[in-house]
Amino acid sequence: MIIILRPRLISFFRFLQPRRIIFLLFILFYSCQSENQNEAEIEAIPVQVSLDRFDLKFYNQPTSVIPGLKAQYPYLFPKQFSDSVWINRQTDSLQLLLQNEVNKTFNNTDKVESELSHLIKHIKFYFPETKVPKVITLTNNVDYQIKTVYMDSLLLLSLDTFLGSDNPLYDGIPNYIRKELDPKYIQVQVADKFASFLISQPENRTFLSRMIYEGKKLFLQDIFLPHIAQEDRILYTAEEFDWALKNEVYLWQYFVEKQVLYQTDPDWVQRFIEPAPFSKFYLQLDNETPGRIGSWLGWQIVKSYVIQYPDTPLEELLRLPAQKLFNLSKYKPKR
């Protein structure tokens, strides 16, 4: 059983009869005990991630290593490129500067390996058939649109996209993107890739379907990363997350009044789901809003469904059509 509690539920106890309070506290205690038991079982799963440092094998090495690396990592060397491309890349001053920063930030990778092991144990607990991927680290031109790549048994991790948001090499990158380029988000980015692999794409192009698709991915992070703050799971600051909580009823009211839930215009996805410095209501308050607020609302809808139907098997939840999930969720935020 998975129970998601919102901070505002604390004040709800004031309006309950004593017997009702005792009953709810018993349920919460039982749920916490169950979760603690799950965590003990998860930690016992034999998973130990070790980073394969391709970046160290490639940079600051003689060109003679290239043939051996091509044989060992053929998927990293597209056949249409000649060896001269890799030799130039290996000696390029910008690439070496990036690699030098990677070496400084990740001179010790014990913490990253421990966190990824913790994440994959959680994934295997809920999806036992999941293969423990081989994790290969790269330096890749700070391509922040492709920080991680997951392919069944292989995980590529571009360490140069996690040097810390204040790293001078990120000067010129918009602040809303820079804040995500931090080592603390490695687990989140990897969990998101696993979620994308596990959940089918939306069954139609409606805004509601996309919201709930993103909400399902974030819900998986709730169970894959229970020890990470909720705001970090959606790449928000604490202030942004608090703003969303305080304005949930007004956000939902906006989408309902505008009748956009069943719109198929991709503009709504760009304004409220794609990464952005803020959500685009085209109102004076825009600069106060966090981006991806449609994803955040989709997350609340999925959690509302889980509260209504806590015994739904996880794989069934992930397969549930968006419209059916929404109807059954009875989602309606209150002031």
Side-chain angles (χ1 to χ4, degrees), residues 192 195-197 199-202 207-218 298 302 322:
D192 180 73
S196 298
F197 184 80
I199 304 171
S200 299
Q201 288 290 319
F207 183 56
L208 176 66
S209 288
R210 182 61 185 273
M211 286 173 64
I212 290 179
Y213 170 75
E214 297 296 332
K216 288 178 179 179
K217 291 201 299 178
L218 287 163
V302 174

Side-chain angles (χ1 to χ4, degrees), residues 31-304:
S31 175
C32 290
Q33 290 292 97
S34 177
E35 289 301 310
N36 289 338
Q37 183 178 350
N38 284 350
E39 285 299 309
E41 292 180 28
I42 289 168
E43 283 305 311
I45 296 174
V47 170
Q48 182 57 58
V49 171
S50 179
L51 301 186
D52 184 349
R53 296 296 301 271
F54 172 84
D55 58 311
L56 297 181
K57 297 176 183 178
F58 183 80
Y59 291 106
N60 298 307
Q61 301 292 337
T63 57
S64 59
V65 304
I66 291 178
L69 292 177
K70 289 175 67 177
Q72 186 178 358
Y73 305 94
Y75 40 83
L76 297 180
F77 294 89
K79 292 183 178 179
Q80 66 266 34
F81 297 116
S82 66
D83 283 0
S84 62
V85 171
W86 310 118
I87 292 171
N88 290 336
R89 185 181 181 93
Q90 194 182 36
T91 56
D92 181 80
S93 58
L94 176 58
Q95 297 299 320
L96 291 173
L97 178 61
L98 281 173
Q99 185 60 43
N100 184 50
E101 288 297 309
V102 167
N103 293 345
K104 289 179 185 177
T105 305
F106 298 100
N107 64 322
N108 185 309
T109 58
D110 289 350
K111 187 173 186 291
V112 176
E113 291 174 342
S114 175
E115 290 176 344
L116 289 178
S117 298
H118 183 73
L119 166 62
I120 293 172
K121 285 181 180 183
H122 280 75
I123 294 172
K124 282 190 69 65
F125 179 79
Y126 293 100
F127 299 92
E129 300 303 315
T130 301
K131 299 175 184 176
V132 178
K134 181 177 183 179
V135 184
I136 299 174
T137 62
L138 310 171
T139 298
N140 192 31
N141 293 313
V142 193
D143 188 348
Y144 50 77
Q145 293 184 321
I146 313 178
K147 302 183 190 75
T148 61
V149 175
Y150 172 65
M151 298 174 288
D152 187 38
S153 60
L154 184 65
L155 176 63
L156 305 181
L157 185 61
S158 296
L159 293 181
D160 58 323
T161 59
F162 296 103
L163 299 177
S165 59
D166 59 349
N167 193 291
L169 291 181
Y170 295 155
D171 287 350
I173 296 176
N175 288 335
Y176 78 96
I177 294 174
R178 284 185 67 155
K179 74 176 184 181
E180 301 176 8
L181 306 181
D182 194 281
K184 75 175 184 177
Y185 291 126
I186 290 177
Q187 287 184 91
V188 173
Q189 297 285 352
V190 172
D192 180 73
K193 286 296 188 295
F194 270 95
S196 298
F197 184 80
L198 292 167
I199 304 171
S200 299
Q201 288 290 319
E203 61 271 17
N204 57 52
R205 296 187 298 110
T206 65
F207 183 56
L208 176 66
S209 288
R210 182 61 185 273
M211 286 173 64
I212 290 179
Y213 170 75
E214 297 296 332
K216 288 178 179 179
K217 291 201 299 178
L218 287 163
F219 180 76
L220 276 185
Q221 291 204 38
D222 287 333
I223 62 175
F224 289 165
L225 299 170
H227 305 303
I228 286 184
Q230 288 193 75
E231 60 265 23
D232 288 343
R233 297 174 205 161
I234 194 171
L235 305 175
Y236 278 2
T237 63
E239 292 75 20
E240 288 173 332
F241 193 85
D242 187 56
W243 187 94
L245 277 177
K246 290 178 178 177
N247 291 278
E248 181 178 2
V249 64
Y250 306 110
L251 294 168
W252 184 243
Q253 183 178 327
Y254 174 87
F255 288 123
V256 171
E257 290 181 353
K258 293 292 183 180
Q259 299 182 341
V260 303
L261 296 182
Y262 302 103
Q263 293 283 342
T264 58
D265 187 341
D267 181 60
W268 292 100
V269 171
Q270 293 171 1
R271 288 167 58 184
F272 297 108
I273 289 179
E274 298 294 343
F278 49 81
S279 294
K280 300 178 180 66
F281 296 91
Y282 303 135
L283 301 171
Q284 287 186 336
L285 59 75
D286 277 10
N287 287 335
E288 302 174 19
T289 71
R292 303 180 64 213
I293 204 67
S295 301
W296 188 87
L297 280 172
W299 191 13
Q300 310 317 305
I301 293 171
V302 174
K303 289 193 284 188
S304 180

